[in-house]
Amino acid sequence: MTDVQPRSGLKPAGAVIAAGTVTSEAARRRSIAVISHPDAGKSTLTEALALHAHAIDRAGATHGKAGRSGTVSDWSEIERSRGISITSAALQFEYDGHMINLLDTPGHADFSEDTYRVLTAVDAAIMLLDASKGLEPQTLKLFDVCRRRGVPVITFVNKWDRPGKGVLELCDELEQRIGLRPTPLSWPIGEAGRFVGLLDRADGTARTYRKAPGGALLAEQHDFTAADAARELGEDYQTAYDEAHLLEPVDVESFLAGKTTPMLFGAALANIGVRQLLDTVVALAPAPHAHPIDDGAAGEAKPVGGFTRMTDAGVREVDEPFSGFVFKIQAGMDKNHRDHLAYVRVCSGRFERGMVVTHERTGRPFATKYAQSVFGRDRETIEEAFPGDVVGLVNASNLTVGDTLFDADGPHVRFPPMPAFAPEHFAVASVRDPGRSKQFRKAIEQLEQEGVVQVLVSASRGDGSPILAAVGPLQFEVAQFRMEHEFSAVMRLDVMGLSVARMVKPQDLAAVGASSGIEIVRRRDDVMLALFRDIWHVRGFERSHPGLELIALDASED
Ligand SMILES: Nc1nc2c(ncn2[C@@H]2O[C@H](COP(=O)(O)OP(=O)(O)OP(=O)(O)O)[C@@H](O)[C@H]2O)c(=O)[nH]1
Ligand SMILES: [Mg+2]
């Protein structure tokens, strides 16, 4: 393994920062999510980034999906056996004087609720493109969420070690299809599949790579000055140089405004181009900034993105007393302890373990004695955290996704609610062995709290047969798997022929419920829903009952 000096031409902004104060600690933090269509290589890249920052010393995701055993972000049994990420994972590591909070997200559309929640907790995103596939449907959807939330996007074109599309074709796709202008930082020398090395667009230097066997260690590399590269690499270098200069250079302002995207190339599996990406995150991704709050004004609080404020709604500045919100709850991380962990994104102030905070939803005090940092499945006690960090609170059983916590001695704050999705799949759940009913009920409660599935209760079926509601059917599989493996209760699921949920006002309940083929259910927040076969069923009902109002679940960001 060779050392990975020297770095690319980027100079991290504000590398010399006095440590210790909330403002300076926030300034050296970068919180970023990796997003894309399934299989583009997010988990592989997450691991490669940690490898480059020396947070781990060997990549585990190097043997293809089937044999994957040790990917730090894909830790659960079901993820390892299937080779897909079904839930997001957080890693934190130091790099070059900065603290990086990196969130790997699941690409599968069925788990997009989880990915969307993560996007509320980061300040920037790395959008991964598979070199041979370009912009895939789920990537488009996620990019759209970033745009709406004002999350600036860095683009990494992955799998350049394999045959793929042309570089200019990929750039065109970004510009034509999503109106995002790519501004290259690096440029591949040699087309996809016949990859020679990377050109640094800023100074014309080049780096060639030879993959370490199996790709588990950092790739061997060789650096060339611009003059040497032109001589040694010949036409390939000249082509790369000419093409790279057809596009504009990086521009921070338009990047933060979501108009341009710094673009890099590489191969996560072979650890190529990964260091440049890390340097780019440090140099360009915004540090944590003022966070929009839910100030009770009409309409939704709009996000502030990058440095560009897009809202008149109130904000919580990073140097105000501690505040944060729960964006994820995960159980079963530690088999021996059966605990569950609430992931809190710190928005302002210094978090100190043991401090008493107020749980905004209940107004009750909440002790934070068991606070941990998270690294995939590994956790360690932490003493303090700063804006941008993810704090894991253990056995925080009263906490639910979307809840706000704030310093009990500071001013009250509430962050906007989490985006919830309109479910499109419904199934009646029951326990196979009635002797396991207690475990079944506990599991249902747990899975709901984590947001693995939504749980609806129908008066006619009762508590013992809750209706599970999901954005995609894979969520059901996860619920079933976890029910069996964590709670030793086998769950029977009877899929219902229903696909649309609408809110119903209390005064209309009896009338809607009297109509055949419509199921009335209660959601956790006591909202009453009517479940319909399909959208045609809804429209037909509306036509024949003009006096009744059905309200669409518009929280879905589609
Ligand atoms: N050839 C090549 N294969 C890669 C590269 N990066 C990732 N892969 C492979 O692509 C497959 C998918 O990688 P993952 O990292 O699991 O992809 P993901 O985006 O996390 O997938 P989901 O979490 O399921 O959405 C694996 O077989 C990887 O080994 C790369 O740079 N080159
Ligand atoms: Mg993954």
PDB file of all heavy atoms in Angstrom, residues 335-362:
ATOM      1  N   LYS A 335     -27.303  -6.977  19.428  1.00  0.00           N
ATOM      2  CA  LYS A 335     -28.140  -8.155  19.688  1.00  0.00           C
ATOM      3  C   LYS A 335     -28.205  -8.506  21.168  1.00  0.00           C
ATOM      4  O   LYS A 335     -29.202  -8.988  21.661  1.00  0.00           O
ATOM      5  CB  LYS A 335     -27.604  -9.357  18.909  1.00  0.00           C
ATOM      6  CG  LYS A 335     -28.014  -9.334  17.461  1.00  0.00           C
ATOM      7  CD  LYS A 335     -28.233 -10.738  16.966  1.00  0.00           C
ATOM      8  CE  LYS A 335     -29.395 -10.741  15.992  1.00  0.00           C
ATOM      9  NZ  LYS A 335     -29.728 -12.006  15.458  1.00  0.00           N
ATOM     10  N   ASN A 336     -27.084  -8.257  21.855  1.00  0.00           N
ATOM     11  CA  ASN A 336     -27.037  -8.656  23.254  1.00  0.00           C
ATOM     12  C   ASN A 336     -27.882  -7.756  24.134  1.00  0.00           C
ATOM     13  O   ASN A 336     -28.289  -8.123  25.216  1.00  0.00           O
ATOM     14  CB  ASN A 336     -25.593  -8.630  23.760  1.00  0.00           C
ATOM     15  CG  ASN A 336     -24.750  -9.583  22.947  1.00  0.00           C
ATOM     16  OD1 ASN A 336     -25.228 -10.644  22.564  1.00  0.00           O
ATOM     17  ND2 ASN A 336     -23.532  -9.194  22.643  1.00  0.00           N
ATOM     18  N   HIS A 337     -28.085  -6.552  23.677  1.00  0.00           N
ATOM     19  CA  HIS A 337     -28.785  -5.616  24.560  1.00  0.00           C
ATOM     20  C   HIS A 337     -30.176  -5.233  24.100  1.00  0.00           C
ATOM     21  O   HIS A 337     -30.923  -4.636  24.844  1.00  0.00           O
ATOM     22  CB  HIS A 337     -27.936  -4.359  24.756  1.00  0.00           C
ATOM     23  CG  HIS A 337     -26.669  -4.657  25.490  1.00  0.00           C
ATOM     24  ND1 HIS A 337     -25.462  -4.777  24.869  1.00  0.00           N
ATOM     25  CD2 HIS A 337     -26.465  -4.921  26.796  1.00  0.00           C
ATOM     26  CE1 HIS A 337     -24.546  -5.081  25.772  1.00  0.00           C
ATOM     27  NE2 HIS A 337     -25.115  -5.175  26.943  1.00  0.00           N
ATOM     28  N   ARG A 338     -30.496  -5.593  22.859  1.00  0.00           N
ATOM     29  CA  ARG A 338     -31.859  -5.340  22.399  1.00  0.00           C
ATOM     30  C   ARG A 338     -32.288  -3.882  22.573  1.00  0.00           C
ATOM     31  O   ARG A 338     -33.427  -3.597  22.904  1.00  0.00           O
ATOM     32  CB  ARG A 338     -32.861  -6.210  23.197  1.00  0.00           C
ATOM     33  CG  ARG A 338     -32.865  -7.644  22.842  1.00  0.00           C
ATOM     34  CD  ARG A 338     -33.554  -7.788  21.498  1.00  0.00           C
ATOM     35  NE  ARG A 338     -32.998  -8.902  20.741  1.00  0.00           N
ATOM     36  CZ  ARG A 338     -33.465 -10.114  20.761  1.00  0.00           C
ATOM     37  NH1 ARG A 338     -34.519 -10.394  21.456  1.00  0.00           N
ATOM     38  NH2 ARG A 338     -32.900 -11.049  20.038  1.00  0.00           N
ATOM     39  N   ASP A 339     -31.374  -3.002  22.447  1.00  0.00           N
ATOM     40  CA  ASP A 339     -31.735  -1.616  22.695  1.00  0.00           C
ATOM     41  C   ASP A 339     -32.174  -0.941  21.405  1.00  0.00           C
ATOM     42  O   ASP A 339     -32.099  -1.521  20.328  1.00  0.00           O
ATOM     43  CB  ASP A 339     -30.555  -0.848  23.281  1.00  0.00           C
ATOM     44  CG  ASP A 339     -29.363  -0.872  22.356  1.00  0.00           C
ATOM     45  OD1 ASP A 339     -29.431  -1.542  21.306  1.00  0.00           O
ATOM     46  OD2 ASP A 339     -28.365  -0.216  22.670  1.00  0.00           O
ATOM     47  N   HIS A 340     -32.669   0.247  21.532  1.00  0.00           N
ATOM     48  CA  HIS A 340     -32.855   1.007  20.322  1.00  0.00           C
ATOM     49  C   HIS A 340     -32.320   2.416  20.484  1.00  0.00           C
ATOM     50  O   HIS A 340     -32.260   2.963  21.580  1.00  0.00           O
ATOM     51  CB  HIS A 340     -34.281   0.953  19.795  1.00  0.00           C
ATOM     52  CG  HIS A 340     -35.288   1.568  20.678  1.00  0.00           C
ATOM     53  ND1 HIS A 340     -35.867   0.898  21.713  1.00  0.00           N
ATOM     54  CD2 HIS A 340     -35.823   2.795  20.662  1.00  0.00           C
ATOM     55  CE1 HIS A 340     -36.726   1.686  22.304  1.00  0.00           C
ATOM     56  NE2 HIS A 340     -36.724   2.855  21.701  1.00  0.00           N
ATOM     57  N   LEU A 341     -31.897   2.929  19.372  1.00  0.00           N
ATOM     58  CA  LEU A 341     -31.098   4.137  19.374  1.00  0.00           C
ATOM     59  C   LEU A 341     -31.821   5.216  18.579  1.00  0.00           C
ATOM     60  O   LEU A 341     -32.270   4.980  17.460  1.00  0.00           O
ATOM     61  CB  LEU A 341     -29.777   3.790  18.668  1.00  0.00           C
ATOM     62  CG  LEU A 341     -28.624   4.752  18.839  1.00  0.00           C
ATOM     63  CD1 LEU A 341     -28.111   4.694  20.265  1.00  0.00           C
ATOM     64  CD2 LEU A 341     -27.494   4.387  17.886  1.00  0.00           C
ATOM     65  N   ALA A 342     -31.925   6.414  19.195  1.00  0.00           N
ATOM     66  CA  ALA A 342     -32.492   7.552  18.464  1.00  0.00           C
ATOM     67  C   ALA A 342     -31.323   8.363  17.917  1.00  0.00           C
ATOM     68  O   ALA A 342     -30.409   8.719  18.655  1.00  0.00           O
ATOM     69  CB  ALA A 342     -33.335   8.395  19.403  1.00  0.00           C
ATOM     70  N   TYR A 343     -31.328   8.624  16.612  1.00  0.00           N
ATOM     71  CA  TYR A 343     -30.279   9.431  15.999  1.00  0.00           C
ATOM     72  C   TYR A 343     -30.735  10.892  16.024  1.00  0.00           C
ATOM     73  O   TYR A 343     -31.759  11.229  15.431  1.00  0.00           O
ATOM     74  CB  TYR A 343     -30.077   9.044  14.543  1.00  0.00           C
ATOM     75  CG  TYR A 343     -29.419   7.707  14.287  1.00  0.00           C
ATOM     76  CD1 TYR A 343     -29.978   6.523  14.746  1.00  0.00           C
ATOM     77  CD2 TYR A 343     -28.252   7.635  13.519  1.00  0.00           C
ATOM     78  CE1 TYR A 343     -29.388   5.305  14.470  1.00  0.00           C
ATOM     79  CE2 TYR A 343     -27.652   6.414  13.243  1.00  0.00           C
ATOM     80  CZ  TYR A 343     -28.224   5.260  13.717  1.00  0.00           C
ATOM     81  OH  TYR A 343     -27.648   4.054  13.444  1.00  0.00           O
ATOM     82  N   VAL A 344     -29.959  11.707  16.699  1.00  0.00           N
ATOM     83  CA  VAL A 344     -30.315  13.124  16.801  1.00  0.00           C
ATOM     84  C   VAL A 344     -29.306  13.959  16.019  1.00  0.00           C
ATOM     85  O   VAL A 344     -28.102  13.820  16.225  1.00  0.00           O
ATOM     86  CB  VAL A 344     -30.317  13.575  18.283  1.00  0.00           C
ATOM     87  CG1 VAL A 344     -30.593  15.069  18.401  1.00  0.00           C
ATOM     88  CG2 VAL A 344     -31.337  12.773  19.075  1.00  0.00           C
ATOM     89  N   ARG A 345     -29.791  14.776  15.113  1.00  0.00           N
ATOM     90  CA  ARG A 345     -28.904  15.718  14.426  1.00  0.00           C
ATOM     91  C   ARG A 345     -28.827  16.969  15.302  1.00  0.00           C
ATOM     92  O   ARG A 345     -29.857  17.575  15.622  1.00  0.00           O
ATOM     93  CB  ARG A 345     -29.476  16.059  13.054  1.00  0.00           C
ATOM     94  CG  ARG A 345     -29.220  17.472  12.566  1.00  0.00           C
ATOM     95  CD  ARG A 345     -27.904  17.652  11.806  1.00  0.00           C
ATOM     96  NE  ARG A 345     -27.582  19.068  11.663  1.00  0.00           N
ATOM     97  CZ  ARG A 345     -26.909  19.590  10.648  1.00  0.00           C
ATOM     98  NH1 ARG A 345     -26.485  18.827   9.683  1.00  0.00           N
ATOM     99  NH2 ARG A 345     -26.652  20.871  10.619  1.00  0.00           N
ATOM    100  N   VAL A 346     -27.620  17.333  15.703  1.00  0.00           N
ATOM    101  CA  VAL A 346     -27.456  18.549  16.498  1.00  0.00           C
ATOM    102  C   VAL A 346     -27.570  19.747  15.564  1.00  0.00           C
ATOM    103  O   VAL A 346     -26.896  19.812  14.527  1.00  0.00           O
ATOM    104  CB  VAL A 346     -26.088  18.567  17.215  1.00  0.00           C
ATOM    105  CG1 VAL A 346     -25.946  19.837  18.048  1.00  0.00           C
ATOM    106  CG2 VAL A 346     -25.924  17.326  18.088  1.00  0.00           C
ATOM    107  N   CYS A 347     -28.442  20.688  15.896  1.00  0.00           N
ATOM    108  CA  CYS A 347     -28.621  21.876  15.058  1.00  0.00           C
ATOM    109  C   CYS A 347     -27.939  23.099  15.657  1.00  0.00           C
ATOM    110  O   CYS A 347     -27.468  23.966  14.928  1.00  0.00           O
ATOM    111  CB  CYS A 347     -30.104  22.177  14.877  1.00  0.00           C
ATOM    112  SG  CYS A 347     -30.970  20.873  14.007  1.00  0.00           S
ATOM    113  N   SER A 348     -27.945  23.202  16.979  1.00  0.00           N
ATOM    114  CA  SER A 348     -27.314  24.372  17.589  1.00  0.00           C
ATOM    115  C   SER A 348     -26.700  23.986  18.920  1.00  0.00           C
ATOM    116  O   SER A 348     -27.110  23.013  19.557  1.00  0.00           O
ATOM    117  CB  SER A 348     -28.339  25.488  17.794  1.00  0.00           C
ATOM    118  OG  SER A 348     -29.303  25.098  18.751  1.00  0.00           O
ATOM    119  N   GLY A 349     -25.702  24.771  19.322  1.00  0.00           N
ATOM    120  CA  GLY A 349     -25.131  24.663  20.654  1.00  0.00           C
ATOM    121  C   GLY A 349     -24.245  23.462  20.886  1.00  0.00           C
ATOM    122  O   GLY A 349     -24.009  22.656  19.994  1.00  0.00           O
ATOM    123  N   ARG A 350     -23.771  23.380  22.125  1.00  0.00           N
ATOM    124  CA  ARG A 350     -22.916  22.270  22.523  1.00  0.00           C
ATOM    125  C   ARG A 350     -23.783  21.244  23.249  1.00  0.00           C
ATOM    126  O   ARG A 350     -24.507  21.580  24.176  1.00  0.00           O
ATOM    127  CB  ARG A 350     -21.824  22.781  23.463  1.00  0.00           C
ATOM    128  CG  ARG A 350     -20.859  21.698  23.954  1.00  0.00           C
ATOM    129  CD  ARG A 350     -20.086  22.177  25.173  1.00  0.00           C
ATOM    130  NE  ARG A 350     -19.341  23.389  24.885  1.00  0.00           N
ATOM    131  CZ  ARG A 350     -18.057  23.420  24.541  1.00  0.00           C
ATOM    132  NH1 ARG A 350     -17.357  22.313  24.477  1.00  0.00           N
ATOM    133  NH2 ARG A 350     -17.462  24.566  24.277  1.00  0.00           N
ATOM    134  N   PHE A 351     -23.689  19.996  22.797  1.00  0.00           N
ATOM    135  CA  PHE A 351     -24.379  18.921  23.501  1.00  0.00           C
ATOM    136  C   PHE A 351     -23.387  18.325  24.487  1.00  0.00           C
ATOM    137  O   PHE A 351     -22.264  18.016  24.115  1.00  0.00           O
ATOM    138  CB  PHE A 351     -24.845  17.845  22.512  1.00  0.00           C
ATOM    139  CG  PHE A 351     -25.343  16.609  23.201  1.00  0.00           C
ATOM    140  CD1 PHE A 351     -26.655  16.531  23.620  1.00  0.00           C
ATOM    141  CD2 PHE A 351     -24.481  15.550  23.459  1.00  0.00           C
ATOM    142  CE1 PHE A 351     -27.113  15.396  24.285  1.00  0.00           C
ATOM    143  CE2 PHE A 351     -24.925  14.418  24.127  1.00  0.00           C
ATOM    144  CZ  PHE A 351     -26.250  14.344  24.541  1.00  0.00           C
ATOM    145  N   GLU A 352     -23.800  18.193  25.731  1.00  0.00           N
ATOM    146  CA  GLU A 352     -22.932  17.536  26.712  1.00  0.00           C
ATOM    147  C   GLU A 352     -23.661  16.352  27.288  1.00  0.00           C
ATOM    148  O   GLU A 352     -24.819  16.463  27.707  1.00  0.00           O
ATOM    149  CB  GLU A 352     -22.568  18.508  27.829  1.00  0.00           C
ATOM    150  CG  GLU A 352     -21.522  19.523  27.392  1.00  0.00           C
ATOM    151  CD  GLU A 352     -21.315  20.602  28.443  1.00  0.00           C
ATOM    152  OE1 GLU A 352     -20.844  20.266  29.537  1.00  0.00           O
ATOM    153  OE2 GLU A 352     -21.653  21.754  28.155  1.00  0.00           O
ATOM    154  N   ARG A 353     -22.981  15.229  27.319  1.00  0.00           N
ATOM    155  CA  ARG A 353     -23.616  14.025  27.839  1.00  0.00           C
ATOM    156  C   ARG A 353     -24.067  14.261  29.272  1.00  0.00           C
ATOM    157  O   ARG A 353     -23.319  14.823  30.068  1.00  0.00           O
ATOM    158  CB  ARG A 353     -22.640  12.848  27.790  1.00  0.00           C
ATOM    159  CG  ARG A 353     -23.261  11.522  28.155  1.00  0.00           C
ATOM    160  CD  ARG A 353     -22.311  10.394  27.875  1.00  0.00           C
ATOM    161  NE  ARG A 353     -21.208  10.363  28.824  1.00  0.00           N
ATOM    162  CZ  ARG A 353     -21.271   9.793  30.030  1.00  0.00           C
ATOM    163  NH1 ARG A 353     -22.375   9.190  30.420  1.00  0.00           N
ATOM    164  NH2 ARG A 353     -20.224   9.815  30.833  1.00  0.00           N
ATOM    165  N   GLY A 354     -25.271  13.851  29.587  1.00  0.00           N
ATOM    166  CA  GLY A 354     -25.786  14.022  30.945  1.00  0.00           C
ATOM    167  C   GLY A 354     -26.625  15.276  31.104  1.00  0.00           C
ATOM    168  O   GLY A 354     -27.342  15.417  32.092  1.00  0.00           O
ATOM    169  N   MET A 355     -26.527  16.179  30.128  1.00  0.00           N
ATOM    170  CA  MET A 355     -27.326  17.397  30.263  1.00  0.00           C
ATOM    171  C   MET A 355     -28.815  17.040  30.200  1.00  0.00           C
ATOM    172  O   MET A 355     -29.203  16.062  29.557  1.00  0.00           O
ATOM    173  CB  MET A 355     -26.963  18.424  29.173  1.00  0.00           C
ATOM    174  CG  MET A 355     -27.524  18.135  27.805  1.00  0.00           C
ATOM    175  SD  MET A 355     -26.789  19.160  26.485  1.00  0.00           S
ATOM    176  CE  MET A 355     -27.443  20.774  26.843  1.00  0.00           C
ATOM    177  N   VAL A 356     -29.616  17.841  30.868  1.00  0.00           N
ATOM    178  CA  VAL A 356     -31.051  17.591  30.803  1.00  0.00           C
ATOM    179  C   VAL A 356     -31.626  18.470  29.696  1.00  0.00           C
ATOM    180  O   VAL A 356     -31.399  19.672  29.654  1.00  0.00           O
ATOM    181  CB  VAL A 356     -31.747  17.893  32.141  1.00  0.00           C
ATOM    182  CG1 VAL A 356     -33.249  17.701  32.010  1.00  0.00           C
ATOM    183  CG2 VAL A 356     -31.185  16.977  33.224  1.00  0.00           C
ATOM    184  N   VAL A 357     -32.320  17.840  28.793  1.00  0.00           N
ATOM    185  CA  VAL A 357     -32.927  18.586  27.695  1.00  0.00           C
ATOM    186  C   VAL A 357     -34.442  18.433  27.795  1.00  0.00           C
ATOM    187  O   VAL A 357     -34.941  17.551  28.491  1.00  0.00           O
ATOM    188  CB  VAL A 357     -32.416  18.091  26.317  1.00  0.00           C
ATOM    189  CG1 VAL A 357     -30.912  18.276  26.206  1.00  0.00           C
ATOM    190  CG2 VAL A 357     -32.795  16.644  26.079  1.00  0.00           C
ATOM    191  N   THR A 358     -35.137  19.294  27.084  1.00  0.00           N
ATOM    192  CA  THR A 358     -36.594  19.186  27.064  1.00  0.00           C
ATOM    193  C   THR A 358     -37.024  18.461  25.798  1.00  0.00           C
ATOM    194  O   THR A 358     -36.523  18.755  24.711  1.00  0.00           O
ATOM    195  CB  THR A 358     -37.236  20.587  27.099  1.00  0.00           C
ATOM    196  OG1 THR A 358     -36.787  21.240  28.284  1.00  0.00           O
ATOM    197  CG2 THR A 358     -38.761  20.507  27.117  1.00  0.00           C
ATOM    198  N   HIS A 359     -37.921  17.509  25.977  1.00  0.00           N
ATOM    199  CA  HIS A 359     -38.505  16.788  24.847  1.00  0.00           C
ATOM    200  C   HIS A 359     -39.712  17.603  24.407  1.00  0.00           C
ATOM    201  O   HIS A 359     -40.737  17.640  25.080  1.00  0.00           O
ATOM    202  CB  HIS A 359     -38.903  15.384  25.321  1.00  0.00           C
ATOM    203  CG  HIS A 359     -39.550  14.562  24.258  1.00  0.00           C
ATOM    204  ND1 HIS A 359     -40.485  13.598  24.533  1.00  0.00           N
ATOM    205  CD2 HIS A 359     -39.399  14.551  22.920  1.00  0.00           C
ATOM    206  CE1 HIS A 359     -40.884  13.042  23.415  1.00  0.00           C
ATOM    207  NE2 HIS A 359     -40.248  13.598  22.413  1.00  0.00           N
ATOM    208  N   GLU A 360     -39.572  18.271  23.282  1.00  0.00           N
ATOM    209  CA  GLU A 360     -40.539  19.293  22.889  1.00  0.00           C
ATOM    210  C   GLU A 360     -41.967  18.764  22.798  1.00  0.00           C
ATOM    211  O   GLU A 360     -42.918  19.411  23.228  1.00  0.00           O
ATOM    212  CB  GLU A 360     -40.092  19.913  21.549  1.00  0.00           C
ATOM    213  CG  GLU A 360     -40.800  21.199  21.192  1.00  0.00           C
ATOM    214  CD  GLU A 360     -42.131  20.988  20.519  1.00  0.00           C
ATOM    215  OE1 GLU A 360     -42.340  19.905  19.900  1.00  0.00           O
ATOM    216  OE2 GLU A 360     -42.987  21.887  20.620  1.00  0.00           O
ATOM    217  N   ARG A 361     -42.145  17.586  22.261  1.00  0.00           N
ATOM    218  CA  ARG A 361     -43.494  17.077  22.022  1.00  0.00           C
ATOM    219  C   ARG A 361     -44.274  16.867  23.310  1.00  0.00           C
ATOM    220  O   ARG A 361     -45.471  17.116  23.383  1.00  0.00           O
ATOM    221  CB  ARG A 361     -43.428  15.782  21.218  1.00  0.00           C
ATOM    222  CG  ARG A 361     -44.777  15.240  20.759  1.00  0.00           C
ATOM    223  CD  ARG A 361     -44.624  14.181  19.674  1.00  0.00           C
ATOM    224  NE  ARG A 361     -43.694  13.123  20.030  1.00  0.00           N
ATOM    225  CZ  ARG A 361     -44.000  12.086  20.814  1.00  0.00           C
ATOM    226  NH1 ARG A 361     -45.205  11.968  21.313  1.00  0.00           N
ATOM    227  NH2 ARG A 361     -43.095  11.169  21.087  1.00  0.00           N
ATOM    228  N   THR A 362     -43.539  16.418  24.362  1.00  0.00           N
ATOM    229  CA  THR A 362     -44.248  16.145  25.617  1.00  0.00           C
ATOM    230  C   THR A 362     -44.007  17.242  26.642  1.00  0.00           C
ATOM    231  O   THR A 362     -44.705  17.301  27.654  1.00  0.00           O
ATOM    232  CB  THR A 362     -43.743  14.816  26.227  1.00  0.00           C
ATOM    233  OG1 THR A 362     -42.325  14.947  26.420  1.00  0.00           O
ATOM    234  CG2 THR A 362     -44.032  13.643  25.322  1.00  0.00           C
TER     235      THR A 362
END
